[in-house]
């Protein structure tokens, strides 16, 4: 029932956004007024009255015929039209102009016509052109022809013409046509069209429709072709629908000879500068021969595979806004099989949520609801908290959070703040003691409500001008009600906590000349946190905040920062972070066994314009090994050659590891927080298996038109390559092609797979690449 309410709320949010999209005018438009709307009429041509501006090196006028004869740098402007030429005869009475030599004709917001001879009625905008070239700069669209008829405003008929988006006398590709009718900001309709590459005919179209628009144009996108060892021959096609100025949609059709036919669609809308959304869906019915019987016992899915996504935001004003996200899949393995990004294929869960937030001067109120779907495969014997279904996954709907900004207590140096949180929890099944593994796990409560209120008093003091000593004390009161399986459980918990920070900052500015400077700061912090020991085993068990362990710690953290200020032309300065380095460790007096925590370090740096570093690690000082270590280095030069290397490591956890105990691999957040709030003290992480993976990404620009790319993912634990991607991107000024080869390793329920894909695109027409499940 509650899941239905969640989906109903998301659907209502989606429908509201669509309704607003239909009423949308422009993010910059003025508010609508009641009564009829006055529309400014476009300037109208009136014979003998419409003013004409004519400039030339020499000019004559015949009173009897009313004809101006102009020579040398002639410019005629009338309403939205401009005509330039070497020689012009212009009849003011009939509004007919005849132009010779380097003729250029433009209409405001319209076309750009270049020819040798033009005869046009500037009143009706009808005329005739010889050896003309019609050019639209924004789309780089050329329409050339021996004879062109101008049928009206932005309307042409071209005989023996050519269509291309390539520059030069001999373009790489073009369509030659016997006759083309063109409406700019509309369609080019061609008869007897031949597609040529370097003047070599490769295709014939008895009838061809081509979008001649600067604005978005509905139509089919260029398809992609390829072959896969498991899916067969692949053909992907898509249709783009420009519904309105602020809404559009894309529909795609994926054909694979072995796998089946997939259908997808995406709808996008914008209701204002800060409100927008998208809705995406995909469905495929896999063929039996693709699902191979030898893997049937490993497949946690049916033949019908699908994915539904909605993402939306709506800002009612800067202090009041809504957010929504819907992410549903047919089965746990969908993203692994159909995700077109690495992070999707390795996702551990999906989350659907909707939230509403309101800010006031000193308080912030947020209400949200969320549904989680676990994508991981678990072994019941060693991971009893997560089975092979989603029954044990914890859901929160609703959750209401009130956060307060510290307010100064009148007539005192103290500050007061108040945070509170109400949550309703639900999971389909609870989990009691697990006898098979021989491990004693606490009981997981299936459903219930929890209310937390945490008032705090803060005292900031400045010591000897350069030091800050700040103490914060609070009392976390937790109440449980309407819980299932509550026999013998306590309904309340009171927990005192205190945190003190003693810190200072050393700063020096280095003058680099010309107004350029580098600022170096060193910020040492000494942090003390205390939470008394209290037995909480009799409390309901929903998440990690139901078991907050005692603390009596002293932590030391050190932060280094390098920031540069560079002045550029025009007096504009830019600020850039060169280095951020934070490290720390704490000592826990509550235990005599291994009281020192892991040594934590976080780094991000861009020491040079072409090099970027990022890393975080946790080092066990007793076992003399890393618990976690992640690092990334990226090199990129001005040519856009790049090399990116990434290493990710997380230590295996023993089977005896209690998944509900706090894990301080997230302790760097504690050190950064400084005041040791309760919500930063519990960083529970649920580990399955350790991770050790090395990823490499390379891009090499061979020429201005050719670049190579290579991606590789290597599982170091299994000494196994998970994924390889090789490709070449060849692109000219007006066309391009991408040839790629992807190899995926064998996994449970699926053979190893090799894919070869070929994408060809023409500038101004487009291509399908990048549109896929979950994108």
């Amino acid at each position: 029932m509650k899941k239905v309410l969640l989906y109903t709320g998301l659907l209502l949010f989606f429908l509201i956004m669509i309704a607003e999209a239909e009423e949308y005018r422009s993010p910059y438009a003025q508010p609508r007024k009641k009564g009829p709307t006055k529309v400014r009429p476009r300037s109208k041509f009136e014979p003998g009255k419409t003013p004409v501006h004519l400039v030339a090196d020499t000019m004559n006028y015949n009173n009897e015929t009313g004809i101006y004869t102009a020579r040398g740098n002639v410019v005629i402007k009338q309403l939205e039209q401009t005509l330039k030429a070497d020689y012009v005869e212009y009849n003011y009475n009939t509004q007919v102009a005849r132009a010779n030599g380097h003729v250029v004709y433009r209409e405001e917001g319209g076309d750009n016509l270049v020819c040798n001879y033009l005869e046009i009625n500037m009143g009706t905008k009808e005329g005739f052109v010889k050896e003309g070239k019609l050019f639209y700069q924004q789309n780089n669209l050329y329409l050339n022809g021996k004879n062109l008829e101008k049928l009206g405003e932005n309307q042409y008929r071209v005989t023996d013409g050519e269509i291309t988006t390539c520059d030069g006398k001999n373009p790489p590709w073009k369509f030659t046509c016997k006759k083309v009718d063109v409406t700019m900001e509309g369609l080019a309709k061609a008869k007897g069209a031949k597609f040529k590459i370097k003047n070599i005919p490769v295709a014939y179209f008895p009838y061809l429709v081509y979008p001649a628009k600067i604005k978005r144009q509905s139509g089919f996108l260029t398809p992609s072709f390829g072959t896969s060892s498991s899916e067969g021959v692949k053909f992907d096609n898509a249709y783009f629908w420009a519904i309105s100025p602020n809404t559009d949609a894309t529909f795609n059709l994926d054909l694979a000879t072995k796998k089946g036919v997939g259908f997808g669609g995406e709808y996008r809308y914008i209701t204002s500068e800060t409100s927008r959304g998208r809705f995406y869906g995909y469905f495929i019915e896999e063929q039996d021969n693709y699902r191979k019987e030898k893997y049937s016992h490993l497949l946690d899915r049916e033949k019908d595979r699908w994915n539904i996504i909605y993402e939306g935001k709506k800002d009612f004003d800067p202090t009041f806004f809504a957010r929504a996200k819907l992410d549903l899949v047919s089965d746990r393995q969908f993203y692994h099989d159909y995700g077109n990004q690495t992070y999707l294929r390795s996702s551990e869960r999906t989350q659907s949520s909707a939230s509403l937030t309101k800010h006031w001067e000193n308080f912030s109120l947020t209400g949200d609801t969320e549904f989680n779907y676990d994508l991981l495969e678990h072994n019941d014997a060693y991971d009893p908290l997560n089975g092979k279904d989603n029954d044990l996954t914890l859901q929160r709907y609703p959750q209401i959070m009130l956060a307060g900004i510290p307010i100064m207590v009148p007539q005192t140096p103290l500050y007061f703040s108040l945070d509170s949180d109400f949550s309703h929890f639900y999971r389909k099944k609870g989990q009691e003691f697990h006898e098979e593994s021989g491990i004693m796990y606490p009981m997981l409560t299936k459903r219930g409500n929890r209310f937390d209120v945490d008032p705090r008093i803060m005292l900031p003091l400045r010591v000897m001008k350069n030091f800050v000593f700040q103490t914060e004390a609070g009392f976390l009161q937790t109440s449980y009600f309407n819980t299932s399986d509550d026999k013998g459980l306590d309904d309340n918990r009171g927990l005192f906590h205190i945190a003190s920070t003693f810190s200072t900052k050393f700063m020096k500015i280095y003058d680099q000349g010309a107004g350029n400077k580098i600022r170096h700061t060193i910020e040492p912090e000494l942090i003390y946190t205390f939470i008394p020991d209290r037995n909480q085993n009799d409390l309901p068990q929903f998440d990690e905040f139901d078991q907050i362990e005692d603390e009596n710690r002293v932590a030391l953290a050190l932060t280094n920062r390098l920031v540069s200020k560079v002045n550029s032309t025009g007096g504009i300065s830019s600020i850039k972070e060169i280095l951020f380095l934070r490290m720390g460790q704490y000592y826990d007096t509550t235990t005599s066994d291994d009281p020192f925590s892991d040594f934590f370090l976080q780094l991000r740096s861009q020491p040079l314009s072409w090099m970027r570093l990022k890393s975080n690690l946790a080092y066990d000082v007793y076992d003399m090994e890393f618990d976690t270590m992640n690092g990334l280095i990226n090199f990129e030069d001005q040519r856009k050659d790049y090399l990116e290397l990434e290493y990710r490591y997380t230590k295996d956890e023993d089977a005896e590891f209690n998944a509900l105990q706090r894990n301080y691999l997230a302790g760097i957040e504690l050190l950064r927080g400084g005041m040791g709030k309760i919500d930063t003290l519990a960083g529970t992480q649920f580990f399955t298996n350790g991770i050790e993976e090395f990823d490499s990404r390379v891009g090499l620009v061979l020429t201005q038109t050719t670049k190579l790319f290579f991606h590789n993912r290597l599982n170091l634990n299994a000494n196994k390559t998970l994924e390889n991607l090789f490709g070449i991107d060849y692109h000219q000024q007006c066309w391009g092609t991408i040839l790629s080869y992807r190899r995926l390793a064998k996994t449970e329920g699926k053979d190893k797979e090799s894919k070869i894909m070929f994408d060809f695109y023409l500038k101004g027409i487009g291509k399908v690449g990048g549109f896929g499940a979950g994108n």
Side-chain angles (χ1 to χ4, degrees), residues 115-141:
C115 60
N116 288 327
Y117 176 81
L118 169 67
E119 182 177 323
I120 185 171
N121 187 313
M122 299 186 72
T124 62
K125 298 182 180 179
E126 297 177 352
F128 177 76
V129 177
K130 288 184 178 180
E131 297 180 4
K133 179 181 290 187
L134 184 64
F135 176 63
Y136 241 127
Q137 183 175 0
Q138 186 166 341
N139 267 11
N140 210 68
L141 172 65

Side-chain angles (χ1 to χ4, degrees), residues 174-194:
K174 62 184 177 183
F175 290 97
T176 61
C177 316
K178 292 181 179 180
K179 186 176 75 169
V180 185
D181 288 330
V182 182
T183 301
M184 303 310 297
E185 292 303 331
L187 297 175
K189 302 176 181 179
K191 294 182 179 179
K194 296 179 182 179

Side-chain angles (χ1 to χ4, degrees), residues 222-422:
T222 308
S224 296
F225 300 90
T227 179
S228 166
S229 59
S230 63
E231 299 176 9
V233 178
K234 293 171 59 65
F235 173 83
D236 300 339
N237 196 16
Y239 180 83
F240 175 78
W241 182 18
I243 304 171
S244 69
N246 62 302
T247 61
D248 59 41
T250 307
F251 305 96
N252 71 308
L253 175 67
D254 300 338
L255 304 175
T257 55
K258 294 182 180 179
K259 184 173 64 173
V261 181
F263 304 89
E266 183 172 14
Y267 170 78
R268 297 164 291 271
Y269 65 87
I270 299 176
T271 58
S272 71
E273 289 182 299
T274 55
S275 300
R276 62 189 62 208
R278 74 180 186 104
F279 181 86
Y280 172 84
Y282 185 83
F283 173 83
I284 185 171
E285 182 181 357
E286 295 178 343
Q287 297 183 12
D288 291 333
N289 57 352
Y290 174 74
R291 294 167 54 82
K292 295 185 180 179
E293 294 182 3
K294 64 178 180 179
Y295 294 130
S296 59
H297 65 289
L298 297 173
L299 298 179
D300 182 22
R301 60 178 186 255
E302 301 297 330
K303 293 174 60 176
D304 293 343
R305 316 286 301 280
W306 51 265
N307 177 212
I308 297 175
I309 290 178
Y310 172 72
E311 294 176 334
K313 56 179 288 187
K314 170 64 180 175
D315 292 5
F316 303 100
D317 60 52
T319 66
F320 186 37
F321 50 87
R323 301 290 185 265
K325 177 183 178 182
L326 180 70
D327 189 354
L328 302 176
V329 291
S330 57
D331 52 81
R332 297 176 185 269
Q333 298 157 343
F334 181 87
Y335 277 146
H336 179 271
D337 295 341
Y338 290 92
N340 62 353
Q341 301 290 340
T342 300
Y343 79 93
L344 281 175
R345 291 194 292 272
S346 58
S347 296
E348 295 184 357
R349 66 172 53 193
T350 67
Q351 184 179 91
S352 300
S353 62
S355 67
L356 195 63
T357 301
K358 173 64 178 177
H359 292 306
W360 290 275
E361 183 177 357
N362 297 311
F363 289 93
S364 175
L365 180 65
T366 299
D368 70 16
T369 179
E370 69 179 44
F371 173 79
N372 299 293
Y373 182 69
D374 187 11
L375 301 180
L376 294 176
E377 297 291 344
H378 300 279
N379 186 327
D380 288 344
Y382 296 100
D383 194 3
L385 298 181
N386 293 281
K388 290 186 177 181
D389 50 33
N390 205 49
D391 292 347
L392 297 176
T393 304
L394 185 66
Q395 317 297 345
R396 292 179 174 85
Y397 36 79
Q399 184 175 25
I400 302 173
M401 295 165 285
L402 178 68
I405 299 173
I407 305 172
M408 190 172 186
V409 180
Q411 310 300 321
T412 72
L414 300 175
Y415 288 81
F416 173 79
S417 68
L418 176 68
D419 291 346
S420 63
D421 183 316
F422 167 81

Side-chain angles (χ1 to χ4, degrees), residues 135-153:
F135 176 63
Y136 241 127
Q137 183 175 0
Q138 186 166 341
N139 267 11
N140 210 68
L141 172 65
Y142 292 93
L143 273 169
N144 308 331
K146 291 183 179 180
N147 297 310
L148 287 84
E149 295 177 67
K150 194 170 191 324
L151 306 177
E153 184 176 358

